[in-house]
Amino acid sequence: MAGVPYYDMHAQQLTEQYESLEAHAVHQWLMDLLPPGANSRALDVGAGSGRDAAWLVSRGFEVWAVEPSVVMRQEAQKCHAEAAITWLDDHLPALEHTRMAASQQGVSFHFILMSAVWMHLAPQLRATAFKNLMGLLTVGGLLAVTLRCGPAPAEREMYEVTEEEIRQLSMEYGATVLRCLSAPDQSGRSEISWIQMALQKSI
C-alpha cells in the first residue's frame, strides 16, 4: 500500500496533527447512522494516531484497528494506551491478518471506518480491497469512507478518487449508498476537500 514509508518517517508530526482534531467533530456527518456501541464491533482501517479508534471505544464499541505503518502504530499505542483497542499490523487490499483473525474468532463487524485511506490505494487494487471490506462487514453493517480531493503533496504517493467509483463498487459488491456529502478540509487547507460516503451492506 502506497504511502507507508512517509507515515513511518513523519509519524510524530502526523500524530500531533490528527490528535488536534476531535473525532466526534470530524465524523459528525455520520453520527446518526452509527450502530449502538454496546455489543457492536468496529474496525478502523488505516487507524493512524488511534484518535478514531479510541473515540469508538469511548462509545462502547469493541474496536480492532489496522495500521500498516509500524511507527504510526507505536505512536498510537502510546497516545491511547488506556483504550481497549486490538491493534493489527495489516494493510489493504488483502487485509490478510484481519480476515484470518476474524475467521478464527468467528466475528464480523457492525461498523468499518476507512478515513483518508482510499487515495493511497492504487486503482487496480480497489475492487479486491472493497470485496474484502464487505466480507468483514455483517449484513446491515455500515462502511464509512472519506475521499480526499485535491492535489497530492510531491513527497506522497496518492491516486485519484471519485464518488462514482465507490458507487460502482457498492453496486457490484452488495452495498447501498446511504449518504454522500461534500465537506471542506477541517485543517483549513483550501486546496483540499472531502467526499464523505456511508454505505450499508445489503447482502
Side-chain angles (χ1 to χ4, degrees), residues 153-171:
E155 72 276 15
R156 301 174 71 180
E157 187 175 358
M158 295 183 184
Y159 304 91
E160 182 181 2
V161 295
T162 65
E163 170 190 340
E164 290 73 21
E165 178 187 43
I166 299 298
R167 288 188 179 276
Q168 182 61 40
L169 289 169
S170 298
M171 290 177 59

Side-chain angles (χ1 to χ4, degrees), residues 65-94:
V66 169
E67 176 51 53
S69 165
V70 174
V71 188
M72 280 297 297
R73 198 167 61 250
Q74 291 170 344
E75 289 290 326
Q77 288 173 303
K78 287 190 293 185
C79 193
H80 298 286
E82 77 290 347
I85 301 167
T86 299
W87 284 95
L88 295 166
D89 177 5
D90 209 352
H91 58 86
L92 292 167

Side-chain angles (χ1 to χ4, degrees), residues 41 62 64 86 88 97-109:
R41 188 176 295 105
E62 177 189 336
W64 293 16
T86 299
L88 295 166
H97 299 152
T98 308
R99 291 189 297 118
M100 182 179 300
S103 176
Q104 289 172 344
Q105 297 182 36
V107 302
S108 56
F109 296 90

